[in-house]
Structure formats: structure tokens, C-alpha cells
Amino acid sequence: MQHQGSLVSPLLSGVLCQCSSDPGTGLGAAATGAPETCRDHATNCGDLPQPCGGTLCGGPDQEQRLKVLFQILDVNKDGGICVQDLSIGLRKLGVHRTENELRKIVKAGDKDLDGQLDFEEFVHYLRDHEKKLRVVFKSLDKKNDGHIDSQEIVQSLRDLGVHISEEQADKILKSMDKNGTMTIDWNEWRDYHLLHPADNIPEIILYWKHSTIFDVGESMMVPDEFTAEERNTGMLWRHLVAGGGAGAVSRTCTAPLDRLKVLMQVHASRSNTMCITGGFLQMIREGGIRSLWRGNGINVIKIAPESAIKFVAYEQIKRLIGSNQETLGIMERLVAGSLAGAIAQSSIYPMEVLKTRLALRKTGQYSGIRDCAKHVFQKEGLAAFYKGYIPNMLGIIPYAGIDLAVYETLKNAWLQRYATDSADPGVFVLLACGTTSSTCGQLASYPLALVRTRMQAQASSSSGPQMSMTGLFKHIVRTEGVMGLYRGLAPNFMKVIPAVSISYVVYENLKVTLGVQSR
């Protein structure tokens, strides 16, 4: 980030009331012993009236200071501040921002979408932005002493999976520290960020969502973190709804590849080779074009309950872990996410079995989901709905662990090297990271996924032997070799890039439709 914290003018320092000196207590400058910035700088502010001194937050004096600041930034005196006005006006005050940052400020405050900020929008933006900055300050202030030091910055970033050195943290401090104490109080923090659109720490959470956005057909990823603002405003549920809708579209578009994968996992062998083209032709000959989507209906239906159960379980497990932080460390996230995934999978696992049975069915075998469930229950009993449950549970750990580790590693590398003005990685970086981590996770857990699918399908073939998980592993390796554990891997990988891309595009459009404004 390109800041000149020491150049923030006395006028900017006096814009907001100094009764905000200590965000933890709400005490004014005099009560906390903090420098009375407004009063100290009053002589430098020309015609500005005397500050409220911490007694009249939002009072007439503060309103007057905001009017003066608005008049300075409204360079062409047309009653509105556009991007060009903001650039020229801030440079006069010694504050330098990139054009992208200035556009973000105007976009964030422009309620009537006329491309500029009138006085009311300007005031609303500043006060709303200060509230967000207060939340971030408190989340960084681990010691709750009203000051942020380098160790707190290092720890906060580490909690988000971003590792920086003490020297890098010192550089961040120096850019904001105006009095040379190598700590940042509330006034320094607010003055530094007041007319800057990016709140560094939560930006990483906002821009680097992973499991909410990307859907590759497997729901084993560790749930995303959400900022305090997203939780308080209820935006997180809109994110989850957008993610569910994106998953439904993505799974439907890639359903033919998913069904081909299931057929190859169950039926392909050394004696019965099945290529991708041959598999598609076989499905079309047997049941027509529509047969390519067999099993997709229940695969889409299970998104909503699985996502909701996983998220609620994840939040409860976080509380049981006892973390009072907004975000967990990587290992804590893996443990909480894996347990939440296990709970969600246990709850909807019968739907997984039905999905496999429906994908493998022949034309006319079942009339629908209910008919399939009825046949399975009558012929095989309740236990049939949990065939393959153990390898499915065991597969969560390697999938979630490797997916999370690879994604966090790529995220961390990008943030350290390229995150200068914003934590926003852009579409292609996000897609590349999501695709790579998902691919690695699937590769690690694929043998368990194949064994799970074969166990789910066992009862549908009365002539086949009923094998346990270990027995099936040994049988596959003995009769087909180690490569037999990777049958169907090609169509599985073929669907990753389109699945990730489609889910991202749909997610972004649904966010707009649902009014999500977290970016």
C-alpha cells in the first residue's frame, strides 16, 4: 500500500471527533491521556472552529469541519466530489492515493450512482468508514490496551494464514506512526486510513473466499471465514445463498463428466476399458442425451442442507475450541473444518448413496429419487444408505487438508509479492489458486473416493461380491494394479476448470442480484 501516513494534514486529523481516542473505552482524549489532536492543530486550521474536545461527538463543530473539508475537496465547486476532485484535493492536503483507490472511495459512498459524492454522501462515507476501521483496530489490538504493536500485526496476519517477518511489521508501523513510539493508537490508525478504501486485514478475508465460491462437486473444503461486518449485516447468508446457486449451476453444467466418472470408477477395469468418447457414446446409446444428467437432481438438492449444516457446525466448533478471534489459525481451521465436514456428510450421506445409484441406473430402473430410495430400503435395508461411509469420512482429511494448505500457500505467496495497493488478487489469480488447490485435494483423496463409490454401488449388482473397504482396496490393487485406484480420474480433472470458472461467474452475478456489497 502506498501511504504517506505522516503527511495526513492537521485538517484531516481534526475531521472526526477526538472522543473516539480509545475505541475500547469510548473515552475522550483528555480522559485517556491521548494527544488532543483537534485542539493541538486548531491554530493550523485557519477558519476552523474550535473542536468539540471529546464532548460533542457528531456535534455542530464537527459538522462544520466536515463542510470545510468537503469544500477543499470539491475542487470545481459544483457541489459534488468526483474522482478527479478527490485526487487534486487530497494532493493539496498532502495525501496521495492511486486512481483505483479513489474510485473505490467514490463508488463506496455514491448512493445515487451519479459518479460523485454530495455532502450528505461524503459525511455518510466518512462515518461509516470510521465504524469499519474501529472494528479492524479492535481485532488487531490483541492486548486490548488501545495500541497496536508489531507483534500484534504479525499475529493477526498469521491468524489469516499470512506470514510476515518482524521487520515487515515494523515497516507497516512506521508508515502510520506519527509520534515515533513504534505503536499505533486509535487516532493514528484512523487518520492514516480515513480516506483510504482498503481495510487491510478484513480485505484478505473478503477477496480470498474459496469454498463459498468454487464448487467442483465435492463438498469437503474447509468453510470460509467471514468478517465481523459480514456477520453483523447478515451478508454472510447472502454469500452462502450465492454460493449454493453457483454450485447448482456448476454441477448441472458439468454433470455429464461427473456421471462418466462414476461409470468409469465402477465398471472400468483391465478387461473392460472405457475411454471418455466411448463412455459418452455408451450413455447416449443406452438412454439418450438426457441420460447424461442422471443423478444430477439429487446432487443439486443436497447442496443447501449440506452447506447450511457445515457452516453452523463450523461456527459451533470454533466456539468449542475457545477462540475469541475473528479468524482461526490454519491448523484450527483444518480441525474445525474437517469435523464440520464430517457432521454435514453424516447428515446427508444417504443422498450421496442415492446419487451414485441414480447415476448408475439403467433406463426405466427407477422413476425418480423417491422410487430409488424406496427400492433400496425395501431390498437392502437402512444400512444400504451408509455403504462406503468409512472411506468417505477418511477422505475428508486429505482432501480438506491439502486443499487448504495449497490454497493458503498460494494466497500467502501472492500477498507477499504482489499485494501493494489491495488484497484483491483479480479473477485469474483467484481461479488459478482455486483450481490448483482443488485438483491437489482431489488427487490426494481420489483412491478413497473410488472405493467409496464402488461400495455405494455394490448392492446394485447382486452378482458382485460384498466387500469391506480394506478388502476392496486389496482386490483392486491385486486385479488392476495401483492405477486401478485412479479409474475415472481424467473426466474428474476435466470438469475442474469449467466447474470452478462457472461457479465463480454465477457467484459474482448472484452477489449483485442479492445486494452483497462486501467488496
Side-chain angles (χ1 to χ4, degrees), residues 127-169:
R127 289 177 176 163
D128 184 57
H129 198 51
E130 187 191 14
K131 290 176 185 176
K132 296 177 185 177
L133 292 174
R134 188 185 297 278
V135 171
V136 179
F137 185 90
K138 284 192 69 70
S139 71
L140 288 171
D141 184 15
K142 305 290 184 187
K143 300 172 187 174
N144 202 29
D145 60 358
H147 293 81
I148 301 170
D149 58 32
S150 60
Q151 290 181 339
E152 289 172 319
I153 290 176
V154 170
Q155 182 58 49
S156 295
L157 287 170
R158 187 172 295 146
D159 290 340
L160 292 173
V162 182
H163 298 274
I164 65 171
S165 65
E166 197 82 34
E167 290 75 22
Q168 288 173 308

Side-chain angles (χ1 to χ4, degrees), residues 220-276:
M220 295 185 181
M221 296 179 186
V222 173
D224 285 320
E225 295 292 327
F226 290 90
T227 65
E229 182 191 357
E230 288 173 315
R231 294 170 187 277
N232 294 337
T233 59
M235 284 294 171
L236 69 88
W237 289 107
R238 299 190 191 186
H239 275 290
L240 293 176
V241 171
V249 175
S250 172
R251 292 185 186 193
T252 301
C253 291
T254 58
L257 284 166
D258 190 64
R259 188 181 179 219
L260 178 61
K261 176 196 74 174
V262 173
L263 288 173
M264 292 177 75
Q265 285 178 330
V266 175
H267 296 307
S269 63
R270 281 178 175 172
S271 58
N272 180 30
T273 56
M274 183 184 293
C275 66
I276 292 172

